[in-house]
Amino acid sequence: MRTDRTFTMLKPDSVEKGYIGAILEKITGAGFKIVAMKLTQMTQSDAETFYAVHNERPFFGELVEYMTRGPIVAAVLEKENAVQDFRTLIGATNPADAAEGTIRKMYAASMGENAVHGSDSDENAEIESQFHFAGREIF
Ligand code: UDP
Ligand code: MG
């Protein structure tokens, strides 16, 4: 299992607000190399599958509605210690708890609409990358 890759989504709120460029600048400025990227929109079934681990949680319905309401930017990022370093860069799930300078502190509106996704393990980074990209789309 490789440890130098993670998967991210710039969520619909980031795209709607015109934050794609600014967020990508933060990501590449922190030393992450983009090895796959596209603008895409998740279907209801995509979002239910991607977030299946949360399907018993009270926020699941809202989460699926949010994640399917418009396009996202999906990307695979490469850097040493990618998963952990990217979680540090994005900050806490709730932007109110996120550290100064983190992407969620700067660009997220709320716990529900929190601007970006970051994989939580090397295994999930691999699963999530393969969910969104064919092998020939990852460089
Ligand atoms: N979420 C929410 N309410 C909560 C917890 C999570 O709406 O109480 C949403 C939020 O968009 C979050 C996503 O569900 O990013 C996945 O939750 P997780 O706990 O995996 O947070 P993350 O790994 O994204 O920080
Ligand atoms: Mg998570």
Side-chain angles (χ1 to χ4, degrees):
M1 176 71 51
R2 56 193 300 170
T3 61
D4 63 344
R5 286 190 169 180
T6 191
F7 172 78
T8 188
M9 296 182 287
L10 312 193
K11 297 182 177 182
D13 53 323
S14 294
V15 177
E16 287 160 9
K17 293 171 178 166
Y19 293 158
I20 295 174
I23 294 175
L24 290 178
E25 190 72 36
K26 284 279 290 180
I27 291 171
T28 55
F32 291 88
K33 179 181 166 191
I34 297 166
V35 295
M37 187 165 71
K38 66 181 161 194
L39 196 64
T40 184
Q41 186 163 0
M42 296 175 96
T43 65
Q44 171 143 349
S45 145
D46 288 336
E48 286 171 357
T49 303
F50 189 92
Y51 283 111
V53 65
H54 295 307
N55 65 13
E56 302 292 320
R57 309 279 291 277
F59 59 83
F60 186 67
E62 275 183 18
L63 175 60
V64 170
E65 200 172 315
Y66 160 52
M67 289 303 298
T68 57
R69 77 176 185 218
I72 59 163
V73 174
V76 181
L77 305 173
E78 189 171 295
K79 182 186 180 295
E80 190 183 314
N81 199 34
V83 165
Q84 198 184 312
D85 285 3
F86 192 70
R87 295 289 302 202
T88 301
L89 180 67
I90 68 177
T93 306
N94 187 344
D97 302 329
E100 276 313 317
T102 60
I103 292 174
R104 282 170 167 167
K105 184 71 171 188
M106 294 172 74
Y107 298 108
S110 65
M111 170 90 111
E113 303 207 0
N114 60 3
V116 283
H117 169 80
S119 304
D120 63 7
S121 67
D122 293 333
E123 187 188 8
N124 283 335
E126 174 83 19
I127 291 167
E128 292 170 0
S129 297
Q130 286 177 7
F131 183 87
H132 280 277
F133 293 100
R136 66 187 162 80
E137 296 177 302
I138 304 175
F139 295 91

